[in-house]
Amino acid sequence: MEEVSEVEVIKMEDENVVAPAATSTLIETADKNPTPATTPANAVPTSSDLQDPDQSKDAAVLPATTATVTPEVIAGHFDDEETTFHKALKNAISTETPMELDVQGALPDWLTGFHYTLSPGIFDVKYPKMVSVHGELQQETRTFTFGHWFDNIPQVNQFSFSGSDSKIKYRSTMPAHRAESKIRQHQGYLPNQPSSIFKTDTNQSVFARLLSTSHTQGKPSLEPCGASIDVLPPFNADGRRTVYCQNFANHILELNTDTLEKSGILAWDEVNPLFKGSHSSPHCHFDPVTKELINFTMDHGFNSTQYNFFSITEKEPHGSLIASVTAKTSHVHSFAVTPRYIILVVSPLNPSDGGVKYSWGASLLDAFTFKKTEPTLFYVVSRVKRRHIATFKSDAFFFFHQVNAFEDAADNVYLDFSLYADDTIAHQLGLSALLDRSAPALIKPEFCRFELTNVQAEAQRLENYNAAMANTGPVDKLRGFMRRVSVGQGSGASYAVPEKNSNAIPPATRIRSTPGVELPRINPIYHGLDYKYTWGVGISEQGDGDMYDSIMKLHVKGDAEPIVWSQKNCFPSEAVFVPPPVFDQNEDAGVLVSVVYDAEAHRSFILVLDAADLKEKARAMLPEVVPLSFTNGCFAAGDISRGMQIPAAAAYFSDDEDEGDQYDD
């Protein structure tokens, strides 16, 4: 069997034999998939050959004498009797029409609003490919598969909660629906940003990847914004009912909360040209006191990156630049905010090969290397002075999520993390590793607290040092080993040289380390403040250790044992803390909401727990399996009367009218 060359494709087109669009594209592919069985030229196509409406639009159809094969079973070899989480890591089936769920138990009367989550929607995409068998042209079906749990075409899940009558409605949709057809067309995936995928063979040549990484935002139906979903208050100040999906790029996807229709793509550098950079954090911070939305963009250079921190408010919708920090290029998933400071924590996960692979659009875990001998650096930005004022360091560590941060009266800052010794966990969450029954157990996170001591004193010391260095002549710099040197220069002026090692970076001291959780959440009222509890998903002692199978409540002060919810063969996604509408002195007053996969029933359900003791309050089975996710959701309390509307079909594809996009040549 041999593949058809571009010359043969042109010849076929001249003879009115149409090949798939993916074959005739000028973008070169680097197909490494094994060759499956082919279909005889006289086979008759079936309705199952087209898995979605976009395929007919984006992939050319062969004449009736040559047809595609019946689609294969999605990779994974799932047994109906198995009770692992593996069946929850396959393509999802969306529930586009809102439906009311059968609720068991009772919701709190005050729990009214919309709950949003993101889950993987599509891991596997089939595409047709022309081959020559014994001189005869035939078409076969191959499968492109995303390689990491974080890499997928996401699905948005929306729940409406009505506590007064204990009713829950549910629907789901895939906003980036056209990304699937583009993958099919190009027989692989062309990310729009460098290192925007974690561990996936794009099945594209280096040349094609270079052309695709344009550092510009794409269209709403093509951008897989699948890391977090949240309501960003400054953007809703004018009464708009919107929710926003984010990934690691410099933009966010806006959805209408009533219909889940795509409103558009908002790029940070379109809000303000100063917010330049190709990447951003998927975890914005909102300060309820100053009403600021705070985030950063990453403007990559050759050897370093400019981390541009900015804020947006209702009164200043175009925002303002707070400060820029120059540091090594790294994967920064989250950051910390306290009333006076922003803290950027940069782990030594840096581009390898001089950043060549990174520039060529390789997967992050292929382009970056964790350097255990280098420190993790803590950059402190003053929100008042609007500049970088101090730097601290610790031994190397890796993290996805920063739990919380706060200050004390003695001007110390404390930062809490779900922490790992290195980046092994990022590799373990690749799909091949997760589905490998012989793979070692997932590394459990630690809950770790670091102390930055006397931040203002360190800021003053660093300012004095920089001022002294600015006034020191070149001869003095050569004599830097001396404690003090005076050099007369006519006028008798003397230049003070800083003491030896006076520019040494002070330590960020680890003062607490206990078993931790992933996807940590706290009572949002306590963001940036001293607190007692965090909740998240964990790995129980009874489980196999290959997937998060429990919800845990941790006491971050003292030695109290964690409180655990678990159910045999059940696997929860993020547990979102929802506080009551009226402030309660008890920090753990509220509920947790999580989507859970039940492997025995091969169904998913929405679960509501009392946040104080993790006792179940209510659950409701969902119509389809919602794939397990490692993403962040949100609960938007308030009026649900206008929600769950069915969008008009024309509006659903409103951004697709112009077929030109970042994939086109």
Side-chain angles (χ1 to χ4, degrees):
M1 181 181 297
E2 57 183 291
E3 297 181 3
V4 182
S5 68
E6 291 185 6
V7 174
E8 290 171 317
V9 169
I10 296 172
K11 183 178 179 181
M12 290 162 53
E13 292 175 341
D14 291 339
E15 296 173 355
N16 295 322
V17 178
V18 182
T23 306
S24 59
T25 180
L26 294 179
I27 296 181
E28 175 190 357
T29 63
D31 200 325
K32 302 175 184 177
N33 290 330
T35 304
T38 57
T39 300
N42 60 355
V44 178
T46 65
S47 60
S48 62
D49 292 331
L50 297 179
Q51 295 184 15
D52 59 64
D54 285 318
Q55 183 171 0
S56 60
K57 176 173 63 176
D58 291 284
V61 180
L62 296 178
T65 55
T66 306
T68 59
V69 299
T70 302
E72 308 159 272
V73 176
I74 292 175
H77 309 293
F78 303 106
D79 189 312
D80 289 340
E81 298 301 318
E82 72 177 24
T83 54
T84 72
F85 63 90
H86 292 180
K87 291 183 289 185
L89 292 177
K90 58 186 294 188
N91 288 4
I93 299 175
S94 295
T95 304
E96 299 282 352
T97 302
M99 65 175 298
E100 188 169 324
L101 306 179
D102 181 17
V103 178
Q104 302 174 24
L107 301 175
D109 291 341
W110 53 264
L111 188 63
T112 298
F114 291 113
H115 180 61
Y116 298 93
T117 72
L118 284 169
S119 61
I122 296 175
F123 285 117
D124 303 281
V125 178
K126 302 184 190 313
Y127 61 88
K129 191 171 186 70
M130 291 297 298
V131 297
S132 176
V133 181
H134 305 302
E136 182 180 351
L137 290 176
Q138 296 184 2
Q139 183 170 292
E140 66 183 21
T141 298
R142 294 188 178 181
T143 301
F144 170 82
T145 300
F146 286 99
H148 199 279
W149 195 10
F150 302 172
D151 301 339
N152 56 78
I153 299 173
Q155 174 175 279
V156 174
N157 306 289
Q158 182 188 40
F159 302 84
S160 70
F161 284 78
S162 177
S164 60
D165 52 9
S166 279
K167 289 185 177 181
I168 303 176
K169 290 183 178 179
Y170 167 72
R171 71 167 165 192
S172 58
T173 189
M174 297 186 195
H177 59 279
R178 284 188 65 228
E180 179 183 10
S181 59
K182 286 299 179 182
I183 290 172
R184 184 177 297 113
Q185 177 182 339
H186 291 284
Q187 305 176 6
Y189 179 55
L190 288 171
N192 197 43
Q193 306 288 348
S195 289
S196 58
I197 50 178
F198 261 75
K199 183 68 175 177
T200 293
D201 181 354
T202 61
N203 200 34
Q204 300 292 299
S205 69
V206 171
F207 180 68
R209 295 201 303 267
L210 280 172
L211 289 179
S212 71
T213 53
S214 59
H215 300 272
T216 59
Q217 76 279 11
K219 291 189 174 182
S221 63
L222 287 167
E223 287 296 332
C225 296
S228 68
I229 184 168
D230 204 350
V231 176
L232 305 181
F235 297 128
N236 295 324
D238 58 359
R240 283 186 295 174
R241 295 168 62 87
T242 50
V243 66
Y244 298 87
C245 302
Q246 302 177 78
N247 56 11
F248 305 104
N250 69 332
H251 55 254
I252 55 178
L253 172 65
E254 183 180 292
L255 301 176
N256 181 282
T257 58
D258 299 330
T259 62
L260 291 189
E261 292 178 282
K262 302 174 294 295
S263 302
I265 285 279
L266 176 67
W268 293 125
D269 57 2
E270 289 181 339
V271 175
N272 189 318
L274 296 177
F275 307 164
K276 58 184 179 178
S278 61
H279 283 65
S280 184
S281 170
H283 299 291
C284 298
H285 285 264
F286 181 72
D287 187 328
V289 176
T290 63
K291 308 298 183 183
E292 291 177 279
L293 179 76
I294 300 173
N295 203 348
F296 68 86
T297 56
M298 298 170 62
D299 189 14
H300 302 295
F302 180 68
N303 289 318
S304 62
T305 289
Q306 198 86 354
Y307 296 82
N308 300 311
F309 286 91
F310 61 86
S311 68
I312 298 172
T313 65
E314 179 182 350
K315 294 181 179 179
E316 198 173 8
H318 293 290
S320 62
L321 187 68
I322 298 174
S324 294
V325 176
T326 300
K328 285 189 175 182
T329 300
S330 184
H331 173 70
V332 181
H333 190 93
S334 58
F335 63 104
V337 173
T338 69
R340 291 188 295 165
Y341 305 115
I342 299 170
I343 304 96
L344 169 70
V345 182
V346 180
S347 294
L349 180 65
N350 309 125
S352 54
D353 302 325
V356 174
K357 289 183 178 179
Y358 174 82
S359 300
W360 288 356
S363 295
L364 188 143
L365 294 181
D366 292 327
F368 283 58
T369 301
F370 189 83
K371 302 172 183 177
K372 297 182 179 180
T373 59
E374 295 191 8
T376 292
L377 295 173
F378 298 66
Y379 297 91
V380 182
V381 170
S382 169
R383 295 176 61 185
V384 176
K385 296 181 179 180
R386 302 178 75 84
R387 60 182 175 85
H388 168 222
I389 61 170
T391 303
F392 296 78
K393 70 177 181 179
S394 74
D395 291 339
F397 67 82
F398 176 79
F399 71 102
F400 291 117
H401 297 108
Q402 194 273 330
V403 184
N404 196 21
F406 60 94
E407 310 164 22
D408 67 10
D411 198 35
N412 303 313
V413 175
Y414 302 90
L415 298 99
D416 297 340
F417 299 87
S418 291
L419 180 147
Y420 303 89
D422 55 33
D423 65 334
T424 299
I425 184 63
H427 295 269
Q428 287 186 310
L429 297 181
L431 288 181
S432 60
L434 287 174
L435 298 177
D436 183 358
R437 295 180 183 275
S438 63
L442 295 181
I443 296 176
K444 297 181 180 181
E446 293 181 75
F447 174 88
C448 290
R449 174 168 292 178
F450 288 83
E451 180 184 44
L452 311 184
T453 306
N454 298 324
V455 172
Q456 287 296 332
E458 169 57 21
Q460 187 61 55
R461 186 203 65 80
L462 184 60
E463 184 175 341
N464 293 342
Y465 173 84
N466 290 335
M469 289 301 294
N471 291 322
T472 300
V475 174
D476 296 317
K477 292 180 180 179
L478 293 176
R479 299 173 179 173
F481 63 92
M482 300 174 60
R483 285 188 169 275
R484 190 174 185 84
V485 176
S486 295
V487 180
Q489 293 189 345
S491 64
S494 63
Y495 294 80
V497 176
E499 294 183 1
K500 183 179 180 180
N501 296 326
S502 62
N503 193 35
I505 299 177
T509 307
R510 187 183 302 199
I511 61 173
R512 183 179 178 89
S513 184
T514 59
V517 293
E518 255 306 347
L519 300 171
R521 298 298 291 248
I522 67 171
N523 185 330
I525 297 171
Y526 291 83
H527 275 302
L529 304 175
D530 195 2
Y531 69 116
K532 299 177 182 177
Y533 310 112
T534 184
W535 295 262
V537 295
I539 299 174
S540 68
E541 298 298 331
Q542 297 76 27
D544 295 330
D546 51 0
M547 179 49 70
Y548 306 104
D549 61 357
S550 59
I551 297 173
M552 296 183 177
K553 174 188 178 183
L554 303 184
H555 296 70
V556 302
K557 295 182 176 181
D559 301 320
E561 290 294 318
I563 300 176
V564 180
W565 175 93
S566 66
Q567 182 176 318
K568 185 178 180 181
N569 298 321
C570 285
F571 304 92
S573 294
E574 180 195 39
V576 176
F577 184 97
V578 184
V582 178
F583 177 73
D584 193 306
Q585 294 289 344
N586 296 310
E587 184 182 326
D588 55 0
V591 297
L592 302 175
V593 182
S594 176
V595 177
V596 183
Y597 171 64
D598 184 342
E600 287 188 5
H602 189 45
R603 294 278 298 277
S604 296
F605 60 91
I606 185 79
L607 176 68
V608 180
L609 301 176
D610 188 312
D613 55 16
L614 300 197
K615 291 184 178 179
E616 182 173 326
K617 284 187 168 292
R619 72 168 64 188
M621 298 300 292
L622 302 179
E624 303 289 350
V625 171
V626 175
L628 287 173
S629 67
F630 196 89
T631 60
N632 292 99
C634 71
F635 188 92
D639 181 25
I640 61 173
S641 60
R642 289 172 51 189
M644 294 289 183
Q645 300 174 16
I646 300 176
Y652 187 76
F653 294 97
S654 60
D655 67 309
D656 298 342
E657 295 175 0
D658 178 11
E659 286 298 315
D661 53 55
Q662 79 269 30
Y663 283 89
D664 296 335
D665 299 318

